[in-house]
Amino acid sequence: MQEKLNLNNELLKPMRDRLEKSIDILTKNAILTGKEAEITLKINVGVTKEDREFNDEIEEYLQPNYEYQLSEKIKESKSNYKNSLGRNYSVEIDDENNLVVKNMNEQQSLFGKGR
């Protein structure tokens, strides 16, 4: 079965899971310590010609090769960002130690009606 290649595919799932884990850990650290962190994801993308026997014939296909490196660095507080995510969101750690986010604009639009 063919699927569109994205981070939800089984092929890239280990990379996505590791990135999500890093985001979770470093965001919890930022909440608890007030220190910023930086995650760098480097991906090398390539393909290799491979053969396989299928119905007594040799079938050639391109096998994808993804090598990735994820680096984490806790930084001292800074006041400027090149690009930032999180504006108008709330983040906290719930009772089960899960990181939860809430869009504050959705809340505001509910209360903003009728004013």
Side-chain angles (χ1 to χ4, degrees):
M1 173 169 95
Q2 285 188 330
E3 313 177 89
K4 187 174 181 177
L5 181 62
N6 58 43
L7 291 176
N8 293 321
N9 290 115
E10 284 298 312
L11 173 63
L12 299 179
K13 186 178 183 303
M15 181 175 62
R16 184 196 71 202
D17 290 348
R18 183 67 189 112
L19 179 59
E20 288 175 350
K21 184 176 181 181
S22 290
I23 291 169
D24 183 80
I25 290 168
L26 293 178
T27 303
K28 287 176 183 174
N29 185 66
I31 291 169
L32 298 173
T33 68
K35 291 187 177 182
E36 280 185 23
E38 178 179 282
I39 299 171
T40 304
L41 176 61
K42 179 181 178 182
I43 306 169
N44 291 323
V45 179
V47 294
T48 306
K49 284 186 181 182
E50 296 288 337
D51 295 329
R52 74 171 185 159
E53 192 171 329
F54 185 72
N55 292 337
D56 296 326
E57 292 183 15
I58 300 296
E59 180 180 48
E60 190 176 90
Y61 65 99
L62 292 176
Q63 176 178 289
N65 298 314
Y66 298 100
E67 290 181 6
Y68 70 97
Q69 178 179 346
L70 198 111
S71 303
E72 302 169 352
K73 179 172 81 173
I74 296 175
K75 306 187 308 186
E76 293 303 316
S77 295
K78 283 190 172 181
S79 61
N80 62 2
Y81 295 85
K82 275 196 170 189
N83 290 315
S84 64
L85 301 173
R87 184 176 170 93
N88 299 316
Y89 279 83
S90 166
V91 63
E92 61 186 70
I93 301 171
D94 70 10
D95 295 338
E96 297 171 0
N97 201 33
N98 293 315
L99 191 61
V100 292
V101 296
K102 179 171 52 173
N103 186 331
M104 300 307 285
N105 279 341
E106 290 177 0
Q107 194 92 13
Q108 184 179 5
S109 64
L110 292 175
F111 295 115
K113 293 179 180 178
R115 282 190 180 179

